[in-house]
């Protein structure tokens, strides 16, 4: 990792060279390149499709992200060379943004919903603003966070940008090897060292996961599918809100249908990570409708770990523990995609909400 850390540091140095030459801009560039108030710490993750850096900004930890390390690696907007940038009408730019969002996410956006993606005004660095915006629009995760952060507490907040790098809030991700999946002590302090506090926190976090499922299913113009559900792709804020911190494998319904509808010879050909459909052998085509859902996978990959027999304790009554375990096992079974499956999902969601709230009340009485 050390070699890549040096490389990532040099990438930020190149970023500042591009900033000083007027090729790119952003509201964090001055702090990064001039005032030295945004300071590189170390590389967290390096891969061909993602660069993740921890930095310190004005005394607080943040995360810098980009798909590529160098600004010039992104597709260039040819129209910037063909005309004077000040002459490009704002409506034309908004249309370009809308077309890029449709291409990346499969969503149709109206002009009044694109504010988070295009808020720049014409000025001396306008060409650099447009070029920087275009590099950010080529990153699906940036578009997701930008569009959803004003509507959802379950996605990372974007702090600012510099060229193709965007900064998000720093949160500690979960880990499959962690006993409680998420480092509870680092989130809410050493007071969670006791068993009762851990159980209370897990119950609150589980309820937040259910809130997120409801939110992603119902509160946008299209359902948002999460196709890579694992502790490493989520984090917990200090108020125990669940946050999706990696949405590279998240897709709104129109894009999800395009991904699933592939040629097949059996159901195994219709699996796309945690999202799958069924193969229609008559036409050798995968169904466009997902056969499982976010809740089923969360129950399978996260709730099973929390509400398994080996985590029983004296703080919650045995009948309630057994009810929770049974509800999680039923919820984790695949086959929630059809009409009857949808009814099963609603039943599981309602039952889990009820049992977790009863658990909260039992824990409060035990204090």
């Amino acid at each position: 990792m050390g070699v890549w850390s040096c490389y990532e540091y040099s990438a930020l140095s190149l970023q500042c060279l591009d900033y000083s030459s007027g090729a790119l801009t952003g509201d964090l560039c001055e702090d990064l390149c001039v005032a030295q108030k945004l300071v590189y710490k170390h590389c967290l993750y390096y891969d061909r499709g993602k660069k993740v850096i921890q930095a310190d900004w004005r005394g607080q930890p943040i995360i810098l992200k980009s798909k590529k390390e160098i600004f010039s690696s992104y597709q260039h907007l040819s129209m910037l060379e063909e005309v004077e940038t000040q002459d490009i009408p704002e409506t034309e730019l908004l249309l370009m943004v809308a077309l890029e969002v449709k291409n990346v996410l499969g969503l149709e956006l109206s002009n009044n919903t694109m504010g988070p993606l295009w808020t720049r005004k014409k000025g001396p660095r306008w060409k650099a603003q447009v070029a920087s915006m275009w590099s950010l629009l080529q990153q699906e995760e940036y578009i997701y966070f930008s569009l959803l952060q004003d509507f959802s507490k379950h996605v990372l907040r974007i702090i600012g940008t510099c060229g193709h790098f965007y900064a998000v809030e720093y949160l500690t991700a979960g880990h499959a090897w962690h006993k409680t999946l998420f480092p509870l002590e680092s989130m809410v302090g050493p007071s969670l060292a006791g068993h009762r506090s851990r159980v209370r926190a897990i119950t609150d976090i589980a309820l937040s996961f259910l809130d997120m499922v409801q939110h992603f299913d119902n509160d946008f113009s299209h359902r948002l599918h999460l196709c890579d559900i694992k502790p490493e792709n989520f984090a917990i804020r200090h108020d125990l809100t669940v946050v999706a911190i990696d949405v590279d494998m998240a897709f709104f319904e129109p894009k999800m249908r395009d991904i699933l509808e592939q040629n097949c010879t059996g159901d195994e050909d219709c699996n796309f990570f945690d999202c799958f459909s069924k193969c229609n052998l008559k036409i050798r085509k995968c169904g466009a409708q997902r056969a499982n859902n976010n809740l089923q996978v969360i129950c399978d990959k996260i709730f099973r770990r929390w509400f398994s027999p080996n985590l029983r304790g004296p703080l919650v009554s045995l009948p309630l523990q057994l009810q929770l375990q049974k509800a999680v096992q039923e919820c984790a079974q695949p086959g929630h995609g059809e009409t009857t499956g949808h009814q099963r999902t609603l039943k599981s969601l309602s039952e889990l909400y009820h049992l977790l709230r009863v658990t909260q009340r039992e824990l409060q009485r035990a204090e």
Side-chain angles (χ1 to χ4, degrees):
M1 186 65 77
V3 173
W4 293 124
S5 296
C6 293
Y7 190 70
E8 284 300 314
Y9 183 76
S10 68
L12 292 180
S13 299
L14 287 172
Q15 190 85 341
C16 289
L17 286 174
D18 286 336
Y19 173 64
S20 61
S21 71
L24 59 81
T25 191
D27 49 6
L28 293 180
C29 290
E30 194 74 10
D31 279 355
L32 173 66
C33 304
V34 180
Q36 302 295 308
K37 292 179 180 177
L38 200 167
V39 182
Y40 171 92
K41 288 299 181 184
H42 58 270
C43 176
L44 294 176
Y45 185 80
Y46 182 95
D47 187 69
R48 286 186 66 184
K50 183 181 293 185
K51 317 291 176 287
V52 184
I53 300 169
Q54 184 174 339
D56 185 90
W57 180 55
R58 302 187 179 213
Q60 70 177 51
I62 62 168
I63 299 294
L64 290 172
K65 288 189 166 193
S66 177
K67 284 181 75 171
K68 301 175 182 179
E69 59 269 21
I70 302 171
F71 184 66
S72 58
S73 300
Y74 286 89
Q75 180 187 355
H76 187 62
L77 196 58
S78 57
M79 70 184 299
L80 289 180
E81 305 299 331
E82 295 168 3
V83 296
E84 287 293 323
T85 53
Q86 302 284 356
D87 295 334
I88 303 174
E90 190 84 1
T91 52
E92 191 170 339
L93 278 172
L94 287 172
L95 177 61
M96 287 165 51
V97 172
L99 289 173
E100 188 66 13
V101 171
K102 184 179 180 182
N103 178 54
V104 173
L105 303 188
L107 289 182
E108 301 269 3
L109 288 187
S110 59
N111 283 1
N112 60 357
T113 60
M114 284 186 290
L117 295 172
W118 178 248
T119 56
R120 282 75 169 179
K121 301 299 180 185
K122 293 187 177 183
R125 280 188 173 265
W126 200 69
K127 184 174 181 178
Q129 288 180 23
V130 175
S132 299
M133 172 205 72
W134 197 244
S135 70
L136 291 166
L137 286 176
Q138 293 171 54
Q139 304 179 63
E140 295 93 333
E141 194 170 68
Y142 172 79
I143 299 177
Y144 272 118
F145 291 151
S146 295
L147 290 176
L148 300 184
Q149 64 180 349
D150 291 338
F151 303 99
S152 176
K153 63 182 180 180
H154 295 290
V155 297
L156 281 175
R157 290 190 291 266
I158 290 182
I159 295 168
T161 66
C162 179
H164 60 296
F165 275 98
Y166 57 98
V168 295
E169 60 183 313
Y170 176 85
L171 294 172
T172 304
H175 287 286
W177 48 260
H178 201 287
K179 184 178 179 181
T180 55
L181 299 182
F182 297 94
L184 303 181
E185 294 85 356
S186 67
M187 285 183 292
V188 213
S191 62
L192 275 180
H195 181 63
R196 175 182 294 148
S197 297
R198 284 200 302 272
V199 173
R200 189 192 316 121
I202 286 172
T203 303
D204 290 348
I205 294 168
L207 280 165
S208 186
F209 264 110
L210 297 183
D211 287 341
M212 184 189 72
V213 165
Q214 286 241 76
H215 180 52
F216 286 178
D217 277 358
N218 303 307
D219 292 350
F220 306 131
S221 56
H222 295 283
R223 179 171 296 176
L224 182 61
H225 296 273
L226 305 177
C227 294
D228 190 12
I229 291 176
K230 57 187 178 184
E232 289 80 0
N233 287 343
F234 297 95
I236 313 298
R237 289 199 182 102
H238 287 298
D239 64 357
L240 301 183
T241 298
V242 173
V243 180
I245 62 172
D246 187 328
V247 293
D248 285 338
M249 298 289 286
F251 306 97
F252 284 107
E253 183 73 23
K255 191 85 169 182
M256 186 81 264
R257 295 178 73 86
D258 288 342
I259 290 170
L260 291 175
E261 204 170 23
Q262 305 295 325
N263 295 329
C264 62
T265 57
D267 286 347
E268 64 277 4
D269 296 327
C270 304
N271 294 346
F272 185 77
F273 296 88
D274 288 329
C275 300
F276 61 83
S277 65
K278 298 289 186 181
C279 180
N280 185 331
L281 293 174
K282 290 182 180 178
I283 59 173
R284 294 182 178 273
K285 199 88 170 173
C286 296
Q289 182 175 338
R290 185 179 173 189
N292 65 341
N293 59 37
N294 294 338
L295 178 64
Q296 182 261 319
V297 185
I298 286 170
C299 283
D300 184 33
K301 292 194 168 184
I302 293 176
F303 285 7
R304 272 190 203 265
R305 288 276 302 274
W306 282 339
F307 305 107
S308 60
N310 63 331
L311 287 183
R312 287 179 186 171
L315 299 173
V316 179
S317 64
L318 182 60
L320 178 55
Q321 290 182 50
L322 294 175
Q323 281 181 288
L324 254 176
Q325 288 164 25
K326 182 183 177 187
V328 168
Q329 295 293 339
E330 290 177 354
C331 168
Q333 295 302 313
H336 289 231
E338 304 300 328
T339 305
T340 53
H342 180 62
Q343 297 302 319
R344 262 182 63 193
T345 298
L346 294 177
K347 180 177 178 292
S348 287
L349 196 60
S350 174
E351 188 175 10
L352 286 168
Y353 262 125
H354 169 70
L355 293 172
L356 288 168
R357 286 182 178 129
V358 172
T359 301
Q360 281 182 323
R361 289 196 290 272
E362 283 202 7
L363 289 168
Q364 287 168 358
R365 285 198 297 269
E367 290 180 355

